[in-house]
Amino acid sequence: MTIYLIRRFVIMIATIFVIATLTFILMHSIPGNPFTTQDRSTSEAVQENLNAHYHLDEPMIVQYGIWLKSLATFDFGPSIKQPTETVNDLLGRGFPISAELGMWTITIALISGITLGVLAALKHNGIIDYIAMTLAVLGISIPNFILATLLIQQLAVNLQLLPAATWSSPMHMIMPIIALATGPTAIIARLTRSSMLEVLTQDYIKTARAKGLSPAKIVIKHALRNALMPVVTILGTLVAAILTGTFVIERIFAIPGMGKYFVESINNRDYPVIMGTTVFYSAFLIFMLFLVDIVYSILDPRIKLHKKGGS
């Protein structure tokens, strides 16, 4: 386990380094800079002072060294658009909201998706199966931003049941979570159903039934654990999709999360915010994939985190 953790940690650091380098290159490959594109009325002297303050007049290799130093010290520097705020301040203020939205979304998606998938498998080719799979197809087919617009129109405007925007109460959380969770719920439901159908035909399930175990015990204790393996496999990808998908949903529902700052930073060419947010989210998602590997090994003890004897 220790060798595996060390190896994975080294790989994670190397991956973050590559992402940071590519982000830096892409940002600086765009012609111009934030001060030549934002305000045409700014004098050349002011632009030169701003470039010097943010080291934009330095050679590229020097800027790259400064960027790596800030990355190593977890200090992404001040925002160009909001000079009184640092990127760390924006991350500290916006990420908890985005994380809360994302965690609620993945929790709802897991609970509802697994429940629908199990019910569909147990009632295979029945009405519940057809209804669950129809909902799954609809959930996969409708983009979350389209669903968000429909929810606002129907629940907030027409019926006036829910507030349309901001993030100040549990009622404000309902529509954004539904918009984000519908797609992942559908994916999890379909995976759980197909996996459960396969597991329920295995010999050990037949043996459990022959021993007289209750259907609930067979499903929960014996079948579900193995049926969840495909779900765990894609869980890291789903978390990544949800957390990046929150950027669009946050803009639609005016949620003051990282989506607000990230989109604004792109529009304003705010290099520190773009690069800091990209690296921060990349590191977070890489860590989540690492946790998925750990959960995978817990669900199936036959899977080893390190090789023994060359196997």
Side-chain angles (χ1 to χ4, degrees):
M1 175 67 80
T2 302
I3 295 175
Y4 173 80
L5 291 176
I6 294 173
R7 185 168 62 245
R8 282 302 303 267
F9 180 77
V10 172
I11 293 174
M12 286 192 293
I13 295 299
T15 304
I16 293 172
F17 172 77
V18 172
I19 292 173
T21 301
L22 291 176
T23 304
F24 176 86
I25 293 172
L26 290 174
M27 284 297 96
H28 289 78
S29 64
I30 303 174
N33 64 51
F35 307 115
T36 58
T37 57
Q38 281 185 353
D39 189 357
R40 298 292 183 182
S41 63
T42 304
S43 66
E44 290 187 10
V46 173
Q47 287 189 18
E48 290 177 0
N49 290 333
L50 290 172
N51 287 335
H53 178 73
Y54 290 100
H55 305 287
L56 297 178
D57 59 343
E58 300 279 1
M60 193 67 68
I61 188 65
V62 175
Q63 295 185 49
Y64 180 63
I66 295 173
W67 163 236
L68 289 183
K69 180 181 178 181
S70 67
L71 185 63
T73 57
F74 302 101
D75 181 8
F76 298 113
S79 165
I80 293 177
K81 176 65 176 178
Q82 306 177 62
T84 59
E85 300 270 12
T86 66
V87 178
N88 294 56
D89 293 335
L90 299 180
L91 287 171
R93 186 163 59 247
F95 179 72
I97 296 175
S98 297
E100 183 181 12
L101 174 57
M103 291 303 102
W104 273 112
T105 298
I106 195 64
T107 301
I108 297 299
L110 282 172
I111 295 173
S112 55
I114 292 172
T115 302
L116 281 175
V118 170
L119 290 176
L122 295 177
K123 304 297 181 181
H124 183 48
N125 289 333
I127 185 65
I128 295 179
D129 186 16
Y130 293 140
I131 292 175
M133 290 305 98
T134 300
L135 293 175
V137 171
L138 290 175
I140 295 174
S141 303
I142 303 175
N144 57 27
F145 59 89
I146 297 295
L147 181 58
T149 305
L150 293 175
L151 289 173
I152 292 174
Q153 178 64 37
Q154 296 301 322
L155 299 183
V157 178
N158 293 344
L159 300 178
Q160 297 183 355
L161 296 176
L162 297 171
T166 70
W167 188 261
S168 56
S169 72
M171 296 296 289
H172 291 84
M173 301 167 63
I174 295 176
M175 288 195 294
I177 291 174
I178 292 175
L180 274 174
T182 300
T185 296
I187 295 172
I188 293 171
R190 289 177 65 87
L191 276 176
T192 303
R193 174 185 178 271
S194 60
S195 184
M196 278 290 294
L197 288 175
E198 181 181 354
V199 169
L200 290 174
T201 62
Q202 298 298 314
D203 291 339
Y204 70 92
I205 297 296
K206 296 177 182 177
T207 302
R209 287 171 176 161
K211 290 181 177 180
L213 295 180
S214 66
K217 191 171 184 178
I218 292 174
V219 171
I220 296 173
K221 186 175 181 180
H222 297 281
L224 187 57
R225 181 171 182 173
N226 291 325
L228 288 181
M229 297 301 290
V231 176
V232 174
T233 302
I234 67 161
L235 192 56
T237 305
L238 282 180
V239 171
I242 288 172
L243 289 181
T244 52
T246 61
F247 286 4
V248 177
I249 297 300
E250 285 174 12
R251 293 293 290 179
I252 293 175
F253 289 99
I255 298 172
M258 279 310 304
K260 169 187 176 182
Y261 302 117
F262 188 72
V263 173
E264 289 178 353
S265 68
I266 294 176
N267 293 334
N268 297 313
R269 300 274 299 272
D270 196 337
Y271 292 165
V273 177
I274 295 174
M275 295 191 295
T277 304
T278 301
V279 173
F280 178 82
Y281 266 88
S282 299
F284 179 79
L285 295 177
I286 290 170
F287 179 72
M288 292 302 297
L289 291 174
F290 171 72
L291 291 182
V292 167
D293 287 345
I294 302 297
V295 174
Y296 208 80
S297 66
I298 293 174
L299 284 177
D300 191 347
R302 296 172 298 176
I303 298 175
K304 302 299 181 183
L305 295 180
H306 61 281
K307 296 181 180 179
K308 292 183 179 180
S311 60

